[in-house]
Every structure is written in structure tokens, then in C-alpha cells.
Amino acid sequence: AEVSTQSTGGEGQGYLLTGDCTRHIHLWTPREADWLVSQQTFSAHGSSVEDIQWSPNEEHVFSSCSTDKSIRVWDDRAAAHKACMITVPNAHDSDVNVINWNRSEPFLVSGGDDGVIKIWDLRKLDSHAALFKHHTGPITSVEWHPSDSSVFGASGEDNQVSLWDLGVESSEPLVINDTEVPPQLLFIHQGQEEIKELHWHPHIPGVLVTTSLDNFNIFKTISV
């Protein structure tokens, strides 16, 4: 089956997770010259696995999202058929494309084909903690700031990168050129076509790198 996503980490030893288009997740264990693939698959999703992320704080825990609209949290210490510990069904109105763990707070951020970004509190997953609708195309990447737990970035098929700050408490949208803008939206970066990924620099505060069909950008805003 075609591999749709992968994530390295877990258990402190460079373990690898892969998800495929037939809904299965596989755990790979590194050996001296190759990899040992577990014969048990994590298969609770109903369709293609779009993203997998190891927890930054719990070495056996990972999350996944799927075209079945769900987000799931797993513990690889359990038997594969019992390893799905938390399920958020219908997390988005369509495919859930990307997810990312907050390193300091019990939060996940997700982005979907619906162009919506959602924040999830792992202590209370019956509903999202926040919802942001700015992008006009599917979300292609999301990532929390490595040291500021309230800030995250997102990119979309609308050729925009957006930076957000949950610390802005105002609920009243701003109106700019007759368009309502969420007050938590800090910055918009444009100029690339078909943006695929964004990542924060782990050591230089506020620096972002984004990759796209036509190039990659490295930039720093005054907002973060």
C-alpha cells in the first residue's frame, strides 16, 4: 500500500511510524542494519491515514488523523486492537490533513480540507477548544512554536502562511478592508505557490522555514 505519512521518535530510540492509504499504521523498530516492522497494525481508522505525530512528552503515545474525519490518540504498549485510547470522530467536516502536539500544554492543533484550524484540549475532547477560519483552501501544515506555547503557524492551499496567538483573548473580530479578521491572527506570509510544510527553527526564536512547489522561504516576523 502507498505510504501517506510517517513520523520518527518515540521511546527515545528513533522508532518510526508509517501510515498508509489503506488505513493501517505500522511501528518500525531500528536494528543495526535494517528495520523490524511489527506484524501488528494499528487499524482503527476507516480510511487513509494523513498524519502521525509522536507525543513530545509521552514516549509511547502518538496521535493520528485521517480522511475518515477523525483524530485518534494511541498507546503502543497496548495490543494493537486495543491501542486506540481516544477517538475524536468528525473532528472536521472533511478530511483531517495535519496535526501537531503542543510541547508544554495538553493541546493538539489540527487542520482539515475544510480550511479550518482547530485546537483540542486533551483533557476535554468532546468539543474543540478553539476554531479559526481564515484560510480559503485546505490546510497543508500546522506546527506549534517550540518555546511559546500559545503560538502556532499554519499553511494552506490558498498560498498563505498564517501565524496565530491563543494568548490574545479578545473574541471580537477585527475589520480590515471590510473583511473580518480573527484577533488571534498575528501575521500572514504570501508569495509562494502550493505551500507544503512549515517548521519553526528549533534554536532561533521566531524563524520559520516553509517549502512549496516553487521554492522555500526562511523568514522571521516582528510578531513572534
Side-chain angles (χ1 to χ4, degrees):
E2 180 182 351
V3 175
S4 55
T5 185
Q6 58 83 28
S7 179
T8 54
E11 306 180 29
Q13 299 294 328
Y15 283 62
L16 174 69
L17 289 166
T18 58
D20 63 35
C21 294
T22 60
R23 78 185 180 89
H24 302 300
I25 298 172
H26 301 268
L27 177 64
W28 302 58
T29 303
R31 299 192 294 195
E32 184 172 345
D34 58 6
W35 295 81
L36 176 66
V37 186
S38 173
Q39 296 304 302
Q40 296 190 86
T41 60
F42 304 100
S43 303
H45 280 297
S47 54
S48 177
V49 180
E50 296 297 285
D51 198 8
I52 308 170
Q53 295 284 326
W54 286 103
S55 166
N57 301 312
E58 299 287 340
E59 63 181 20
H60 293 279
V61 175
F62 64 93
S63 59
S64 62
C65 62
S66 168
T67 58
D68 67 5
K69 306 179 185 179
S70 75
I71 297 171
R72 296 176 184 269
V73 179
W74 312 72
D75 189 327
D76 71 12
R77 290 168 293 189
H81 67 285
K82 297 180 179 179
C84 182
M85 302 297 173
I86 300 172
T87 301
V88 184
N90 299 310
H92 284 256
D93 291 338
S94 54
D95 301 359
V96 187
N97 296 332
V98 285
I99 48 176
N100 191 249
W101 295 83
N102 192 302
R103 299 185 185 188
S104 304
E105 303 293 338
F107 296 152
L108 281 171
V109 58
S110 65
D113 262 3
D114 51 10
V116 170
I117 301 165
K118 292 186 179 182
I119 308 299
W120 304 90
D121 187 333
L122 293 168
R123 298 164 298 188
K124 186 179 179 182
L125 283 169
D126 54 339
S127 180
H128 53 263
L131 182 154
F132 302 109
K133 176 61 175 172
H134 165 74
H135 288 273
T136 57
I139 305 300
T140 58
S141 186
V142 290
E143 187 169 281
W144 292 99
H145 189 286
S147 58
D148 190 334
S149 61
S150 68
V151 173
F152 67 91
S155 63
E157 287 187 13
D158 57 356
N159 300 326
Q160 294 188 58
V161 174
S162 58
L163 303 185
W164 303 79
D165 187 354
L166 299 181
V168 179
E169 297 180 356
S170 173
S171 59
E172 293 298 322
L174 305 175
V175 179
I176 301 175
N177 296 329
D178 297 323
T179 301
E180 289 191 352
V181 178
Q184 293 82 9
L185 179 58
L186 294 179
F187 186 81
I188 299 170
H189 177 72
Q190 294 177 296
Q192 293 177 280
E193 298 291 328
E194 297 189 29
I195 302 167
K196 300 302 182 185
E197 285 194 76
L198 68 83
H199 293 289
W200 297 92
H201 195 289
H203 304 301
I204 306 177
V207 171
L208 276 163
V209 58
T210 57
T211 61
S212 68
L213 177 66
D214 52 352
N215 56 37
F216 68 91
N217 284 186
I218 301 173
F219 63 95
K220 185 180 189 302
T221 79
I222 62 172
S223 305
V224 180

